[in-house]
Amino acid sequence: MSEKEILKSNKAQSSSKTGKKITAWERVEIARNANRKTSLDYIEKIFDEFIELHGDRLFRDDPATICGLARIGNQNFTIIAEQKGRNTKENIKRNFGMPNPESYRKAIRLMKQADKFNRPIITFVDTKGAYPGIGAEQRGQR
């Protein structure tokens, strides 16, 4: 992390602690910071165990959405999380955190499973919105 990024990060943290308002552009910079925590970072810190489940059972797995089973102590949870990358290669793999229709089908599949087994659902949302491509529309996104 460059010195400039560290200063910006410290400014954002100190602003939130002191109650001073930060500008709209400073909010954008915080949101775009490559070192910002992602859903997987939070999942790793919060839960004792996490098992990722893949696929929508119709088309393919969409890496923009992470779904799985997690545990804290004896309590089991279903996790649904949007995931961005930290660099260009990861962002391309995860479609810059923009879910395709198969992400929504995967999430619905896991929600139904959670209901069946009476597991609480925890979601981590961090996205610009759904992917707006023609392929997404052809696969059911409206």
Side-chain angles (χ1 to χ4, degrees):
M1 184 184 308
S2 73
E3 190 173 321
K4 186 177 179 182
E5 289 174 335
I6 292 169
L7 291 172
K8 285 181 183 177
S9 176
N10 290 343
K11 180 179 179 181
Q13 289 174 356
S14 65
S15 296
S16 64
K17 289 177 185 174
T18 60
K20 292 181 184 175
K21 289 190 176 185
I22 59 175
T23 67
W25 183 247
E26 288 170 333
R27 288 181 192 273
V28 169
E29 288 178 323
I30 292 166
R32 291 180 179 171
N33 188 332
N35 295 316
R36 198 171 137 238
K37 299 253 186 259
T38 66
S39 297
L40 285 174
D41 294 328
Y42 288 111
I43 290 168
E44 181 184 314
K45 295 287 184 193
I46 295 170
F47 300 98
D48 298 331
E49 186 177 355
F50 176 69
I51 300 168
E52 186 175 352
L53 302 175
H54 298 276
D56 69 337
R57 306 297 191 254
L58 183 64
F59 186 67
R60 68 177 173 105
D61 186 43
D62 185 4
T65 301
I66 305 294
C67 293
L69 308 175
R71 183 178 51 77
I72 299 176
N74 292 329
Q75 178 65 55
N76 295 316
F77 299 91
T78 294
I79 305 299
I80 300 169
E82 292 170 336
Q83 179 69 24
K84 295 179 183 179
R86 292 199 186 278
N87 56 42
T88 303
K89 185 177 179 181
E90 285 181 21
N91 271 320
I92 290 169
K93 175 187 172 190
R94 298 200 180 273
N95 200 29
F96 294 86
M98 294 183 292
N100 282 293
E102 43 273 20
S103 276
Y104 298 109
R105 287 191 295 265
K106 176 170 59 170
I108 289 169
R109 179 173 68 85
L110 270 285
M111 287 179 205
K112 288 178 180 178
Q113 184 190 75
D115 183 46
K116 179 179 179 180
F117 293 104
N118 201 29
R119 275 193 310 263
I121 299 171
I122 298 176
T123 59
F124 296 86
V125 180
D126 181 18
T127 186
K128 304 173 213 183
Y131 180 68
I134 292 171
E137 190 174 319
Q138 290 170 337
R139 294 190 309 274
Q141 183 171 294
R142 303 279 183 240

